[in-house]
Amino acid sequence: MKMKLDYATLLSPYPFYLPNIGHIKSPTLREIWNPDMTYNKYNFYLSMLLITSENFYERINPSKFAWYESLSDEDKSNVTMFDIITNEPELQTLYCDIFNFFFEENFIWDNNIRMYIACKESSADENETPDENETPEVIGIIHKNIFYDLLDIILQRCGVEKKDSADRPKFKNKMAERIWLKTQNSQKAKETTNNTNMELPNLISAYAAFGNGVNITSVWDMTVFQLYDQFQRQRVISYHNLSSMSVATWGDKDNKFDIEGWYKSIY
């Protein structure tokens, strides 16, 4: 099911429907900052969508990290986050909360079939007694075979790029692996320091202050992907305006100025 969503889908304010699974939202800023959600919880949810089984044992369940490290590369690849979830009731509940935020449907964990399921809501009158023998209609299922691809689609709708686990090289020994991990962690720390200006609250404030019909009151109705997209577009237009002023003053002897550059695709 590996799928790269097109620009039109990512930009849309409407949920993206996956047959037999459900409707994935690109949450609005208002939904993210809702007191029942909060920005910190949203970031936590994203981190859980990005986490690998190795990260889980290293950071969340370190008591089993030595066991995980003792496995062969082949055995490690067979330990997926979905496998971990099936044996961890707290994770089952956590991912249920995550899916219920990003989907229009409400999912529950079914321990009998070891999957997440969403059932059609009963249309019975509120005053009627529910029929205990009535089998609810399942309208969505999340199982192991689609789990990682599904998480990637959710992340795409939030403007987050998920790096393929294949990006990690194979090592001939533990020393080489430790050195690689150390350089990766150093690079991540550097990227975090350099990208503090790109954090979501700062982007909201900056974009709302810029104008163009959006202010600090109305910006909350944008989806998170729309904000990232429009902020990037504003950067392109600002650079284009600066270049056009330079050309108007000093000319364009080398014919390098692209008058149509402000509306070229940024995706």
Side-chain angles (χ1 to χ4, degrees):
M1 194 187 72
K2 187 71 173 179
M3 182 185 301
K4 183 172 177 61
L5 301 182
D6 59 36
Y7 189 37
T9 300
L10 293 170
L11 201 59
S12 171
Y14 297 103
F16 174 65
Y17 177 62
L18 288 169
N20 303 318
I21 302 174
H23 297 77
I24 301 175
K25 300 183 295 182
S26 177
T28 64
L29 302 176
R30 191 180 303 279
E31 289 175 315
I32 293 172
W33 261 265
N34 186 296
D36 293 331
M37 179 59 187
T38 75
Y39 175 58
N40 286 337
K41 185 184 286 187
Y42 172 74
N43 278 334
F44 174 62
Y45 281 3
L46 292 184
S47 70
M48 294 307 296
L49 294 176
L50 289 162
I51 198 170
T52 64
S53 51
E54 180 181 12
N55 296 150
F56 174 79
Y57 286 120
E58 183 178 12
R59 302 173 188 174
I60 300 178
N61 194 359
S63 62
K64 292 186 178 180
F65 185 61
W67 164 80
Y68 179 83
E69 283 290 275
S70 68
L71 299 176
S72 65
D73 288 342
E74 182 179 356
D75 288 337
K76 284 180 180 178
S77 65
N78 291 327
V79 180
T80 68
M81 272 306 299
F82 197 88
D83 294 322
I84 297 172
I85 290 170
T86 59
N87 297 303
E88 297 280 351
E90 290 185 357
L91 285 180
Q92 293 164 13
T93 300
L94 172 59
Y95 278 90
C96 194
D97 291 340
I98 292 173
F99 291 140
N100 290 341
F101 176 71
F102 288 107
F103 278 86
E104 283 200 328
E105 292 75 14
N106 288 317
F107 284 88
I108 61 171
W109 173 260
D110 190 316
N111 213 37
N112 293 319
I113 59 175
R114 301 171 85 81
M115 298 178 187
Y116 286 98
I117 62 171
C119 296
K120 186 176 182 179
E121 293 184 4
S122 174
S123 59
D125 189 273
E126 292 181 358
N127 297 321
E128 292 182 16
T129 303
D131 185 355
E132 295 181 357
N133 297 320
E134 183 181 355
T135 302
E137 180 185 351
V138 176
I139 58 175
I141 297 177
I142 299 174
H143 53 78
K144 180 177 179 178
N145 293 340
I146 64 171
F147 182 70
Y148 275 117
D149 290 336
L150 181 62
L151 300 192
D152 183 56
I153 292 174
I154 295 174
L155 289 167
Q156 287 182 57
R157 293 233 67 191
C158 296
V160 178
E161 182 181 356
K162 182 178 181 181
K163 291 186 177 181
D164 196 321
S165 58
D167 290 342
R168 176 169 180 157
K170 292 185 177 180
F171 303 96
K172 293 183 178 180
N173 55 63
K174 292 291 182 182
M175 176 62 73
E177 184 176 14
R178 283 196 295 271
I179 293 173
W180 184 84
L181 283 172
K182 186 174 182 179
T183 58
Q184 288 297 109
N185 291 335
S186 176
Q187 179 64 24
K188 285 180 181 178
K190 183 178 179 180
E191 290 175 356
T192 300
T193 301
N194 292 339
N195 289 331
T196 52
N197 290 337
M198 299 302 292
E199 291 181 358
L200 195 51
N202 190 63
L203 295 188
I204 292 172
S205 176
Y207 184 70
F210 213 92
N212 288 336
V214 177
N215 56 47
I216 198 62
T217 302
S218 61
V219 70
W220 303 100
D221 292 324
M222 298 176 72
T223 70
V224 63
F225 184 89
Q226 288 171 347
L227 177 73
Y228 287 134
D229 174 83
Q230 292 298 286
F231 183 83
Q232 181 63 22
R233 178 71 67 182
Q234 188 63 64
R235 293 175 71 184
V236 171
I237 293 175
S238 295
Y239 177 77
H240 180 272
N241 290 342
L242 184 63
S243 298
S244 64
M245 290 174 60
S246 176
V247 169
T249 303
W250 304 105
D252 186 23
K253 296 180 182 179
D254 298 326
N255 295 317
K256 290 184 177 180
F257 180 67
D258 184 2
I259 195 170
E260 299 175 345
W262 69 274
Y263 67 85
K264 287 190 174 180
S265 176
I266 60 175
Y267 180 69

